[in-house]
Amino acid sequence: MDQNEIIKVLKEVQHPAKSDRSIVELEMIDNIEIKGDKIIVTLAFSRHRDPLAEYLTGSTRAAIIRNFPGTDVEVKTVVKEEAKPKKKPGLDLGTEEIKNVKHIIGIASGKGGVGKSTVAVNLAVALARLGYKVGLADADVYGPSVPKMTGTEGVIPEAFKENDEKEVIMPVEKYGVKWMSIGYFAQPGQALIWRGPMACNALKQMILQVRWEELDFLLIDMPPGTGDIHISLVHDIPLEGAVIVSTPQDVALADVEKGVNMFRNESINKPIFGLVENMAWFTPEELPENRYYIFGKDGGAKMAAQYGIPLIGQIPIVQSIREGGDSGEPAAMSSRPDGLAFIELAKRLAENF
Ligand code: ADP
């Protein structure tokens, strides 16, 4: 006699409380040991003092003796936590809080440092200035910059439990935009270190647990680059499409390509609404009409043509944009040319909807 023969016999032992399914089908066989003439079967139960434990150990012993007369049978029991149904890794936060959001748009870049967060924050402010209801979720978990760029550092968002179950976080409102950032939950300057899955969950919470209410646009400042975190984000959040931010140099082309391919890849497959060429030219403060193409001219237009995406914005490199980022007063609040460049970008983006 071998294990397979014993399993065949145990298939005859039915569980009376579980539609008479067999203990094999119910995966209750924890172990089978054969020691010479002795058979030791261990049955797994999901709780202590299962009222049917005695019945099932008895039926198990009886079934074996019936099929293998003369054998010495011992039936042991062990308590094991019930196998939980296999869930996808990550949190299931539902989509209740985003059901009144019309368009969710990711702001992405192939690499860091190109001004993605600057563009995201200013685009949000510019859309709000045009009269749209706007929110921005800072999903750049590795370097959240929204608190600093909006002058809301140190603000602690209100959070409460609704119906004693789900935690809801209130966004921070300023400049007519609803902001949320993982940075509100960390000490300023504190390094945020996340393992991959934690980062994914944290940023899903930054989006799905926030009481956005009615919004025309929810912009998501995505982490730089391309990777698993983006794929996971797009799977759990109904992102409508993306805007890609780049600087115009030739060397940035490969990064734009990575970003474009990511959104066009079958696992994501979302439209790209446009390319924003940041740092398109330099304009000194004292000579506002002058344009110096320090990173080359028409780089953005060439990239956009190469990948078949519209160039929807050209943002100059000007001191006031950097200063606005550092002081917490976004350049898009102003009527200077740099502020108007963001308003133009906002109009071009909104034309898509
Ligand atoms: P990313 O999000 O791509 O890492 P940031 O938006 O944080 O980049 O920008 C990096 C730095 O460059 C910031 O100090 C920001 O103020 C500055 N910056 C970005 N865009 C401009 C611009 N158009 N003109 C001047 N400074 C800019």
Side-chain angles (χ1 to χ4, degrees):
M1 115 198 83
D2 61 22
Q3 286 222 352
N4 286 337
E5 290 174 69
I6 296 171
I7 288 173
K8 214 164 137 192
V9 166
L10 295 178
K11 283 183 182 163
E12 296 168 22
V13 181
Q14 294 169 328
H15 195 305
K18 300 214 167 147
S19 318
D20 286 336
R21 285 157 73 201
S22 82
I23 55 172
V24 174
E25 196 189 339
L26 292 166
E27 297 182 352
M28 291 179 67
I29 313 300
D30 187 61
N31 193 29
I32 297 172
E33 250 178 296
I34 304 168
K35 284 185 180 166
D37 274 339
K38 185 167 179 173
I39 301 172
I40 306 165
V41 178
T42 308
L43 298 184
F45 288 86
S46 58
R47 52 182 167 159
H48 288 279
R49 290 188 289 278
D50 188 309
L52 287 169
E54 219 171 300
Y55 169 83
L56 288 169
T57 48
S59 323
T60 301
R61 182 180 294 109
I64 295 175
I65 292 173
R66 205 166 47 243
N67 286 277
F68 307 108
T71 42
D72 184 6
V73 184
E74 186 183 350
V75 182
K76 297 202 254 185
T77 61
V78 60
V79 176
K80 292 210 163 165
E81 279 225 3
E82 200 156 22
K84 300 234 165 42
K86 282 200 184 77
K87 255 183 67 186
K88 273 197 307 176
L91 296 179
D92 181 11
L93 298 167
T95 52
E96 184 64 18
E97 301 298 341
I98 51 168
K99 72 174 193 295
N100 294 321
V101 176
K102 290 194 187 122
H103 308 291
I104 304 183
I105 299 168
I107 311 296
S109 66
K111 66 164 183 181
V114 299
K116 171 183 54 60
S117 297
T118 303
V119 169
V121 164
N122 282 286
L123 175 58
V125 169
L127 284 164
R129 283 187 67 187
L130 291 175
Y132 294 106
K133 293 199 182 85
V134 187
L136 186 147
D138 180 5
D140 193 344
V141 280
Y142 298 105
S145 37
V146 159
K148 186 169 180 54
M149 287 187 177
T150 56
T152 56
E153 264 178 317
V155 173
I156 298 169
E158 199 191 321
F160 54 91
K161 278 208 168 172
E162 202 167 54
N163 311 328
D164 259 352
E165 315 167 6
K166 204 182 60 165
E167 179 126 67
V168 178
I169 310 168
M170 297 305 287
V172 174
E173 292 200 51
K174 196 170 177 184
Y175 304 123
V177 175
K178 292 181 176 171
W179 310 97
M180 184 42 62
S181 169
I182 192 88
Y184 293 132
F185 301 95
Q187 298 296 324
Q190 177 191 339
L192 289 167
I193 302 164
W194 304 94
R195 285 178 296 113
M198 246 168 88
C200 284
N201 287 341
L203 68 84
K204 276 177 217 161
Q205 278 176 284
M206 288 302 98
I207 299 165
L208 295 175
Q209 261 177 269
V210 176
R211 179 122 314 162
W212 299 106
E213 296 181 325
E214 266 188 33
L215 289 183
D216 296 304
F217 294 104
L218 175 59
L219 305 184
I220 313 240
D221 185 1
M222 301 189 70
T226 50
D228 289 353
I229 202 162
H230 297 80
I231 295 172
S232 156
L233 188 67
V234 173
H235 280 173
D236 289 309
I237 283 140
L239 204 75
E240 194 170 334
V243 166
I244 295 183
V245 181
S246 177
T247 51
Q249 307 93 308
D250 279 349
V251 289
L253 196 66
D255 298 308
V256 170
E257 181 170 349
K258 269 194 260 164
V260 170
N261 287 345
M262 175 174 72
F263 286 101
R264 290 185 175 163
N265 186 290
E266 357 179 293
S267 69
I268 292 192
N269 196 19
K270 299 280 173 194
I272 299 166
F273 299 121
L275 177 75
V276 178
E277 180 185 21
N278 189 30
M279 312 195 190
W281 58 81
F282 168 67
T283 295
E285 207 139 4
E286 57 287 5
L287 296 168
E289 301 306 318
N290 287 23
R291 293 179 176 191
Y292 300 95
Y293 294 90
I294 53 180
F295 293 140
K297 199 162 184 275
D298 296 329
K302 280 186 216 144
M303 286 176 192
Q306 180 153 352
Y307 298 109
I309 38 180
L311 181 65
I312 58 168
Q314 288 184 298
I315 310 296
I317 182 167
V318 289
Q319 197 168 325
S320 49
I321 292 182
R322 203 267 307 143
E323 283 171 353
D326 286 349
S327 69
E329 188 163 330
M333 288 301 292
S334 83
S335 303
R336 294 183 309 259
D338 51 313
L340 298 179
F342 288 114
I343 298 278
E344 277 314 303
L345 165 62
K347 283 186 189 159
R348 286 290 303 276
L349 177 65
E351 275 169 13
N352 285 283
F353 306 97

